[in-house]
Amino acid sequence: MSSFVHREFQHEICEITDPRELDDDGRPKRTGTVWTATAHIITAVIGSGVLSLPWAMAQLGWIPGIFTLLSFSFVTLYTSCFLADSYRTPDPITGRRNHTYMEAVKSNLGGKMYKICGLVQYTYMGGLAVGYTITAAISTVALLKSNCFHKNGFGAAGCNYTAMTYIIVVGFVEIVLSQIPNLSTMSWLSVIAAVMSFGYALIGIGLSFAKITSGKGERTTLTGVEVGMGLSQADKVWSMLRATGDIAFACSFASVLIEIQDTLKSWPPESKVMKKANKIAILTSTGFYIMSGCLGYAALGNGAPGNLLTEFGFTEPFWLIDLANIFVMVHLLGAYQVLSQPVLNAVEAWATKKFPKSSFVAENYPFKIFRKKISVNFFSLIWRIIYVVIVTVVAMALPFFNDILALLGAIGYWPMAVYFPVEMHIAQKKIEKKSMRWWCLQSMNVVCLVVAIGAACGAIEGLTHSLRTSNFFEL
């Protein structure tokens, strides 16, 4: 058994007496399959980023937009195979398990990279939680406005809703859901969320297709929004960089891949099952992205909004738009949890290791709710409430949808989806420095870094502009 067992499994282990119910490291036997892993990945990938793809296509145009989307998807698929092999070290089939992304980095690259990885990963995941909170609240407001306008007429005075109220509502719901202890016990939530993501993506695609076939599609160009009245060359460049960040955000799930792999059964080998799940999920999501981005751009043209559903939000059939916004809300509630669990569990694991004799930190207290036995850890309960409250307050302070997506994509995509997987692959396979394969991998590394820096600069410029024209705690 590993020298330290995460807090969320301690109570379960105490209740297990049959050795056949334990894994090779003494933890409860895992039950995940290729389909549960695929559901987790789709929940993490097909998120709020899909709604911004028509806008991104409008900034880049047909040729650069499609090329950028396919490039990010290919790189994600390629490097996710490296991550899958890094789950066990030194051998991807028989080596010691790394239960988290950070553990994989530590095993392959050492303690210094382990700390850098933790800083990047948890900042990125916290940022995603902020972005998902904002988007869920915006979808709630769109739903309420749509029904109000349908009842009282477009522009009715009583239909002014503030998203701030609903950011708080989302926060309360997430406090409840955050008490789910780990990814292994929330497969049902990922399945529901994945179905919801398909639902609203298909609705957006269908509405775009209907507008195109009716002959009402807006004007598009090969290079996107054109420089001219109201748009300078500098503004065009900044918007293209932000669009690149949005696409990177839409394609990224590497930060939670190892944690998803840790839910899989020990046989067949986790790396083989995970690679299959990666292919299914990425090919599926890329297909949806191409349809959503291209059809959305063809329908809405160079004036496509940052959120696809806002353009169709107050048109008929209004009930279909309502359904799409409900799907968005449910999906993002689940995606928030999938991407927050590594952060929540890491702090709990650290606290248990630091204070192993503390009853407040280490003890689980069983009790019954509706005849169902559950156990509560007071440290976990309070910490998870604090985490959600912090995320909710930040979401209220910085409600800038597209710029936040672009910045998160730029910050998280290169290190989590490219740099660490490539470096771990080089270390694990002992690829000789300055060999042809080494140069090819490092070239991909550098190109993705340059793109990420450009996207980050564009996002920061966009946030600066938003801060000049908007106030904190206003949405």
Side-chain angles (χ1 to χ4, degrees), residues 206-265:
L207 290 169
S208 299
F209 183 74
K211 186 170 182 177
I212 295 167
T213 54
S214 68
K216 297 179 180 179
E218 303 292 339
R219 180 174 179 271
T220 64
T221 56
L222 289 177
T223 56
V225 179
E226 296 169 314
V227 175
M229 292 187 62
L231 184 71
S232 67
Q233 185 67 50
D235 290 336
K236 169 71 173 177
V237 172
W238 288 125
S239 65
M240 290 179 67
L241 291 173
R242 290 200 298 275
T244 303
D246 277 11
I247 293 174
F249 172 83
C251 294
S252 181
F253 72 97
S255 58
V256 75
L257 188 148
I258 296 290
E259 284 79 359
I260 292 174
Q261 192 166 343
D262 196 43
T263 67
L264 295 174
K265 295 177 182 177

Side-chain angles (χ1 to χ4, degrees), residues 3-316:
S3 59
F4 175 66
V5 178
H6 286 268
R7 182 211 58 79
E8 68 267 22
F9 292 106
Q10 287 181 331
H11 182 69
E12 297 177 54
I13 291 173
C14 292
E15 294 181 346
I16 295 175
T17 56
D18 189 347
R20 291 174 296 181
E21 296 182 24
L22 296 176
D23 260 329
D24 55 351
D25 62 349
R27 294 187 176 201
K29 191 171 288 292
R30 295 161 290 156
T31 59
T33 65
V34 64
W35 298 112
T36 61
T38 301
H40 283 314
I41 295 170
I42 289 175
T43 299
V45 174
I46 303 183
S48 55
V50 71
L51 301 176
S52 70
L53 289 178
W55 176 86
M57 288 290 295
Q59 310 314 305
L60 295 169
W62 284 112
I63 296 175
I66 294 174
F67 175 78
T68 301
L69 180 55
L70 292 177
S71 297
F72 276 119
S73 296
F74 172 77
V75 171
T76 299
L77 179 59
Y78 185 56
T79 58
S80 67
C81 294
F82 297 165
L83 276 179
D85 286 336
S86 300
Y87 175 67
R88 288 183 181 268
T89 50
D91 184 87
I93 304 297
T94 60
R96 181 182 61 82
R97 287 167 58 194
N98 298 304
H99 303 290
T100 66
Y101 195 118
M102 288 179 63
E103 285 184 26
V105 170
K106 188 174 185 178
S107 297
N108 288 283
L109 303 178
K112 184 178 179 180
M113 286 298 177
Y114 166 80
K115 294 177 182 178
I116 295 173
C117 172
L119 177 63
V120 173
Q121 183 184 17
Y122 297 147
T123 300
Y124 179 58
M125 289 179 170
L128 288 178
V130 171
Y132 285 179
T133 301
I134 294 169
T135 311
I138 290 173
S139 295
T140 305
V141 169
L143 174 67
L144 295 171
K145 282 186 176 180
S146 174
N147 282 278
C148 185
F149 288 158
H150 184 78
K151 181 179 179 181
N152 302 315
F154 186 79
C159 298
N160 294 322
Y161 298 93
T162 171
M164 287 300 166
T165 301
Y166 298 97
I167 287 177
I168 296 172
V169 172
V170 171
F172 275 114
V173 175
E174 294 295 359
I175 284 175
V176 175
L177 292 177
S178 68
Q179 301 309 315
I180 300 173
N182 51 65
L183 282 174
S184 296
T185 55
M186 64 184 300
S187 294
W188 61 272
L189 183 60
S190 282
V191 170
I192 293 172
V195 171
M196 296 297 103
S197 66
F198 284 130
Y200 69 74
L202 285 171
I203 290 173
I205 291 167
L207 290 169
S208 299
F209 183 74
K211 186 170 182 177
I212 295 167
T213 54
S214 68
K216 297 179 180 179
E218 303 292 339
R219 180 174 179 271
T220 64
T221 56
L222 289 177
T223 56
V225 179
E226 296 169 314
V227 175
M229 292 187 62
L231 184 71
S232 67
Q233 185 67 50
D235 290 336
K236 169 71 173 177
V237 172
W238 288 125
S239 65
M240 290 179 67
L241 291 173
R242 290 200 298 275
T244 303
D246 277 11
I247 293 174
F249 172 83
C251 294
S252 181
F253 72 97
S255 58
V256 75
L257 188 148
I258 296 290
E259 284 79 359
I260 292 174
Q261 192 166 343
D262 196 43
T263 67
L264 295 174
K265 295 177 182 177
S266 57
W267 191 263
E270 302 96 343
S271 59
K272 293 183 178 180
V273 176
M274 196 65 193
K275 289 176 183 178
K276 185 177 180 180
N278 289 338
K279 291 176 183 177
I280 295 171
I282 293 173
L283 291 175
T284 301
S285 62
T286 301
F288 270 89
Y289 286 169
I290 290 290
M291 288 190 290
S292 180
C294 292
L295 290 177
Y297 180 42
L300 304 176
N302 289 337
N307 185 328
L308 173 63
L309 293 178
T310 60
E311 179 67 19
F312 297 111
F314 311 117
T315 59
E316 297 291 345

